[in-house]
Amino acid sequence: MTGGDGRSLRRRELMTGAAGLAGLALALRTSPARAASKRVESLLDQMTIDEKAGQLSCYADMIRPPVGDINPVVNQRNTEQLLAEIRASRIGTLFNGEGVEGALLAQTTAVQQSRLGIPLLFAADVIHGFKTVFPIPLAEAASFDPGLAERTARAAAVEATSYGLHWTFAPMVDVARDQRWGRGAEGSGEDVFLGEAMAQARVRGFQGRDLAAPDSLLATAKHFAAYGAVTAGLDYNTVELSEETLREVHLPPFKAAFDAGCLAVMSAFNDINGVPATANKHLLTDILRNEWDFRGVVISDYTADQELVAHGFAADDRDAARLAILAGVDISMQSGLYSRYLPELVSSGLVPMAVVDSAVRRVLSLKERMGLFDQPYRSLDAKAQAANTATPAARALSREAGARSIVLLRNDAGLLPLPTQGQRIALIGPFAEDRDNILGPWAFYGDRSLGVDLATGIRAALADPSKLTIARGCDVENTLLGGYDQAVAAAAAADVVLLAVGEGQNMSGEAQSRTEIGLPRVQQRLAELVAQTGKPMVVLLRHGRALTLDGAVKAAPAILATWFLGAETGNAVADVLFGKVNPSARLPVSFPHESGQEPYAYNHRTTGRPAPQADDSQEYKARWRTTRNEALYPFGYGLGYTTFVLSNIRLSTARLAWNDKLYVTAQVANTGKVAGEHVVQLYVRDRVASRTRPVRELKRFIRVALKPGEKRDVRFTLERGSLMFVGDGDRWLAEPGMFDLWVANNAVDGLAASFELLGA
Ligand code: NOJ
């Protein structure tokens, strides 16, 4: 036995080792290892334990390294070392490299020079586009348009596979209800139902119809699980979570992704109630394999197995490898622990060979499903790389997706859309001409030269481009000499001001937690000074999370949430500003009044002392001293250049039988002067249950396109399955009784009705 603390190691080996092994043997008996294909079984028969450990090891691809700082520099190997290890069958997957040439070198080495010729998998973080960058996933979630998410994921897959990639570490399906957490940018926001829809769309888009097709990119649902629930929104922080909330809020988007065919999942960095996700047998085996029958592979997050030591959960690296594989992690990312320790852990009996074999079987079966044994050089075609880079179709899709992700938060007196001529426009703010903060976090492969900044996009839309003046005013977090004066002068000389303010792209994403989610102070000051000119002001927010808005920004007559929109940012914003596109996105996250309200989500549970309504200022209620309890802009909220009116809600029955369907119908009318799209939302509340229930939960949404004056009925179907929650015994159940529902424009308004679910 090795390790710094022999005693704790022994104790744990007794707990998860000896007892664990007995349990494991039982598990293997009750669910015998599924035999794979003859080819896979025959390979497995021939493999040494070192070769098996190699198939379970994944390293940063330094043969063709990407630009950009993606992960800490740990255990990196140079080209020569990597090639030597590939030859020695010590590597199964390389990640985060790009380009056909280097991939060919690595794959040829694996196929022709390693003993069994098992091809490599090439993985990468293709999060929202590859060369052509699309809106960040959170922005795209605002489109409430899973079809759009599927199309951008497909386009990303086509580009990425042309660069010699098989596998993306996306989609991130973590539900994020604390806007201080920077990684919300990579997900679909605070809602479970929207998260499920987006997860499935992205899986379908990445993987396409046939996993073996050269343009199919294997998807990874990450980070399993509850990474979005880190305490205080601090990245990597500990997670304290009830089993009910885990199952009801954080797990469903994973399950949805698997149901859509996703065959990989990444174990998270965080612990849950004291057990790190990467050593969490409950999650990785009991739920994933036994309850859900997941047949794909589990990969650890970057060095997450090794981090079990820092967690204080493993005594040393060897112990960490043991805990990770026994819990159910198939592939170890970057730490090298599996290669280093699995052979000895198996020979000493601490890890059964059967456990290693199951993991290898899964990895080889995946390679087989992806066609790699028959076509090891799939996706390694230099011509495809050239032909599929930033095609006009991909760029047009990026522009479309950008415009469809923009949320119009405020538009007093119809200030927007602006005319394309006749007005002098001052574009002010650090993002006016900026090209460094267009793509957003997690766009390392993006071709920055393709990025269209705001000034370029707006100028191109104007009849007379000389009507646009630019003043930066300040930097993202610093002042500029003379910047405020220039900005005020530009505003004073203009008819309308566009104020481009918000977060830099390095302010959200991994490790970018914030304690205050407002504008940096220098930008707030800029906004106040510009507003004093009295010119009508349109705020163009840039952000990777919900923001708090203050002072002149909050009071501006027009506000657009523009997130990080990717390559076509300037054009997409111009399309909305000048009315070429009528904005129709809706918030996937609530915008709170103050940072201190976080974590905040519309679908919070009821309390015994609910927040007072309207101006009722009663004490001793669930309220803050200084701030109202609701959101400034709620989940699901967004305006457009026309108006929609919902009316005439009808239920097919007021008494829903246990196995029946309930049809909810309402009319939606476009009462404005231009064509537009509306997102009609259906929310439900369980009035009385054996668990306190959320005040509302989104259960359905539908996009409707209507011409001016047009009206249409929308119909939703509900059944018992949508009324369930996790109750006693951590089981999903529905309880008979009264339910409220709303057909709504957002999470806090709507036409109300109610029905009773009758018992079985
Ligand atoms: C760490 C991140 O948490 C994960 O999302 C990513 O896929 C890996 N690094 C690999 O880059």
Side-chain angles (χ1 to χ4, degrees):
M1 189 178 305
T2 58
D5 178 354
R7 248 177 328 142
S8 63
L9 180 58
R10 212 165 9 251
R11 181 163 46 92
R12 216 176 347 265
E13 276 175 0
L14 281 173
M15 283 163 52
T16 56
L21 284 185
L24 215 67
L26 187 72
L28 287 173
R29 266 205 308 282
T30 48
S31 56
R34 224 173 250 117
S37 70
K38 276 205 186 109
R39 170 162 46 195
V40 167
E41 292 300 331
S42 140
L43 276 172
L44 197 58
D45 280 349
Q46 299 170 59
M47 288 169 87
T48 63
I49 178 65
D50 288 286
E51 286 169 337
K52 289 176 184 174
Q55 280 307 307
L56 305 183
S57 298
C58 167
Y59 297 102
D61 188 344
M62 305 311 286
I63 298 171
R64 44 171 194 159
V67 279
D69 182 9
I70 298 185
N71 287 297
V73 180
V74 177
N75 300 326
Q76 269 181 10
R77 292 140 161 82
N78 63 31
T79 302
E80 286 320 308
Q81 289 166 324
L82 281 174
L83 290 175
E85 293 198 36
I86 292 169
R87 247 175 245 122
S89 310
R90 293 173 66 83
I91 297 180
T93 303
L94 288 175
F95 77 103
N96 278 346
E98 60 160 324
V100 165
E101 204 185 325
L104 269 175
L105 174 62
Q107 196 67 306
T108 316
T109 307
V111 172
Q112 296 178 8
Q113 299 174 25
S114 72
R115 193 175 75 90
L116 295 169
I118 299 173
L120 297 166
L121 269 170
F122 297 118
D125 290 293
V126 181
I127 309 297
H128 52 112
F130 193 66
K131 292 296 163 196
T132 310
V133 177
F134 299 105
I136 56 168
L138 183 63
E140 205 181 54
S143 74
F144 275 68
D145 184 351
L148 180 72
E150 182 169 342
R151 285 160 66 213
T152 62
R154 185 85 291 271
V158 168
E159 267 191 0
T161 52
S162 302
Y163 279 74
L165 292 169
H166 307 128
W167 181 5
T168 176
F169 295 150
M172 186 187 99
V173 303
D174 298 311
V175 173
R177 294 183 168 176
D178 194 326
Q179 298 303 315
R180 292 171 296 180
W181 192 49
R183 297 200 76 173
E186 291 169 60
S188 296
E190 70 191 37
D191 186 65
V192 179
F193 184 73
L194 180 61
E196 289 173 323
M198 288 292 164
Q200 296 207 319
R202 290 180 174 133
V203 168
R204 283 195 302 266
F206 285 134
Q207 296 193 164
R209 265 188 232 109
D210 174 11
L211 264 181
D215 65 357
S216 172
L217 194 62
L218 172 72
T220 311
K222 72 185 188 185
H223 305 82
F224 199 62
Y227 186 33
V230 285
T231 304
L234 177 65
D235 206 5
Y236 316 122
N237 205 3
T238 187
V239 169
E240 189 74 25
L241 197 64
S242 72
E243 185 74 14
E244 285 95 333
T245 303
L246 172 71
R247 287 177 179 268
E248 213 173 277
V249 174
H250 298 277
L251 295 188
F254 286 93
K255 182 67 169 61
F258 303 143
D259 289 345
C262 180
L263 281 177
V265 61
M266 186 181 290
S267 70
F269 285 130
N270 53 281
D271 74 341
I272 302 178
N273 306 332
V275 181
T278 297
N280 200 312
K281 184 172 162 295
H282 176 57
L283 277 178
L284 299 176
T285 297
D286 300 346
I287 294 179
L288 195 60
R289 302 287 179 198
N290 297 343
E291 282 184 34
W292 293 355
D293 197 23
F294 175 66
R295 309 274 180 97
V297 302
V298 177
I299 183 165
S300 75
D301 202 340
Y302 189 93
T303 63
D305 50 357
Q306 196 157 28
E307 293 171 20
L308 297 175
V309 179
H311 270 293
F313 195 78
D316 53 26
D317 285 357
R318 172 176 169 275
D319 193 32
R322 180 183 68 84
L323 288 165
I325 189 112
L326 289 181
V329 173
D330 298 318
I331 302 179
S332 157
M333 191 197 298
Q334 192 61 13
S335 68
L337 294 196
Y338 278 15
S339 277
R340 220 175 312 146
Y341 295 109
L342 283 186
E344 191 271 318
L345 286 168
V346 168
S347 65
S348 64
L350 284 173
V351 171
M353 184 67 104
V355 170
V356 175
D357 281 352
S358 292
V360 176
R361 201 174 269 120
R362 287 193 281 260
V363 171
L364 295 182
S365 297
L366 184 65
K367 290 186 174 184
E368 185 173 55
R369 277 283 294 271
M370 295 181 67
L372 283 168
F373 287 117
D374 297 320
Q375 306 169 55
Y377 302 105
R378 64 154 271 194
S379 316
L380 303 182
D381 172 1
K383 278 200 222 106
Q385 177 171 315
N388 290 336
T389 301
T391 60
R395 302 205 50 173
L397 178 58
S398 181
R399 182 172 182 161
E400 179 193 340
R404 287 178 76 77
S405 301
I406 295 173
V407 188
L408 178 62
L409 295 177
R410 184 165 177 175
N411 193 20
D412 292 359
L415 176 56
L416 293 177
L418 299 175
T420 54
Q421 53 191 353
Q423 281 194 329
R424 290 162 302 165
I425 301 176
L427 174 60
I428 294 173
F431 302 110
E433 284 181 305
D434 161 273
R435 296 173 56 78
D436 295 331
N437 297 283
I438 288 176
L439 302 183
W442 288 105
F444 306 100
Y445 304 95
D447 183 343
R448 292 182 52 187
S449 70
L450 299 174
V452 180
D453 59 82
L454 287 177
T456 305
I458 291 167
R459 229 180 249 124
L462 289 175
D464 177 0
S466 70
K467 294 280 192 229
L468 184 73
T469 55
I470 313 282
R472 190 163 175 178
C474 62
D475 268 338
V476 178
E477 294 181 277
N478 294 305
T479 51
L480 276 179
L481 196 61
Y484 291 144
D485 291 345
Q486 281 162 17
V488 169
D495 300 309
V496 62
V497 171
L498 306 179
L499 186 73
V501 288
E503 299 185 302
Q505 72 181 21
N506 64 354
M507 292 170 70
S508 55
E510 186 172 347
Q512 305 309 323
S513 302
R514 299 182 65 194
T515 50
E516 300 284 340
I517 57 170
L519 289 190
R521 228 170 258 158
V522 291
Q523 294 188 50
Q524 190 65 42
R525 174 99 184 110
L526 174 70
E528 302 303 335
L529 291 171
V530 169
Q532 279 168 22
T533 64
K535 295 300 166 79
M537 189 158 85
V538 179
V539 174
L540 304 175
L541 294 172
R542 187 163 297 187
H543 46 119
R545 50 163 62 81
L547 297 175
T548 55
L549 309 180
D550 290 305
V553 174
K554 186 177 184 174
I559 307 174
L560 288 167
T562 78
W563 322 97
F564 294 99
L565 294 178
E568 292 282 326
T569 293
N571 289 330
V573 170
D575 286 347
V576 167
L577 272 179
F578 299 106
K580 195 166 158 191
V581 172
N582 184 352
S584 63
R586 305 290 184 253
L587 289 179
V589 280
S590 310
F591 273 46
H593 289 273
E594 292 183 12
S595 302
Q597 287 175 271
E598 296 294 326
Y600 189 95
Y602 80 93
N603 40 14
H604 58 84
R605 293 209 192 109
T606 43
T607 70
R609 293 190 171 190
Q613 296 294 310
D615 290 329
D616 172 1
S617 59
Q618 273 195 75
E619 295 271 15
Y620 306 109
K621 295 283 186 186
R623 62 188 280 271
W624 281 279
R625 295 190 72 236
T626 52
T627 303
R628 297 199 50 83
N629 211 356
E630 66 264 19
L632 172 61
Y633 292 113
F635 175 88
Y637 174 86
L639 304 172
Y641 297 150
T642 187
T643 41
F644 292 99
V645 174
L646 300 174
S647 64
N648 196 14
I649 184 170
R650 282 149 283 159
L651 271 54
S652 58
T653 176
R655 293 158 61 79
L656 173 63
W658 192 245
N659 289 319
D660 236 346
K661 287 184 171 33
L662 171 67
Y663 300 103
V664 182
T665 310
Q667 188 182 79
V668 50
N670 180 346
T671 53
K673 294 197 173 60
V674 291
E677 290 184 30
H678 192 35
V679 180
V680 185
Q681 303 157 37
L682 177 77
Y683 294 90
V684 165
R685 172 183 181 159
D686 190 342
R687 259 193 223 168
V688 180
S690 59
R691 290 286 185 283
T692 55
R693 301 302 304 144
V695 294
R696 272 192 192 199
E697 291 177 281
L698 182 70
K699 293 297 176 184
R700 299 282 182 270
F701 61 85
I702 189 170
R703 267 192 165 273
V704 198
L706 292 177
K707 297 195 195 80
E710 195 182 345
K711 7 173 123 96
R712 191 180 306 159
D713 273 353
V714 292
R715 189 173 89 151
F716 300 103
T717 311
L718 272 183
E719 44 207 273
R720 190 178 79 246
S722 295
L723 308 176
M724 296 174 91
F725 60 93
V726 178
D728 276 354
D730 302 330
R731 265 182 239 291
W732 284 94
L733 55 104
E735 290 175 348
M738 290 305 294
F739 288 80
D740 296 314
L741 67 75
W742 295 263
V743 173
N745 305 294
N746 60 59
V748 299
D749 77 355
L751 307 169
S754 57
F755 66 94
E756 184 179 0
L757 173 66
L758 304 175

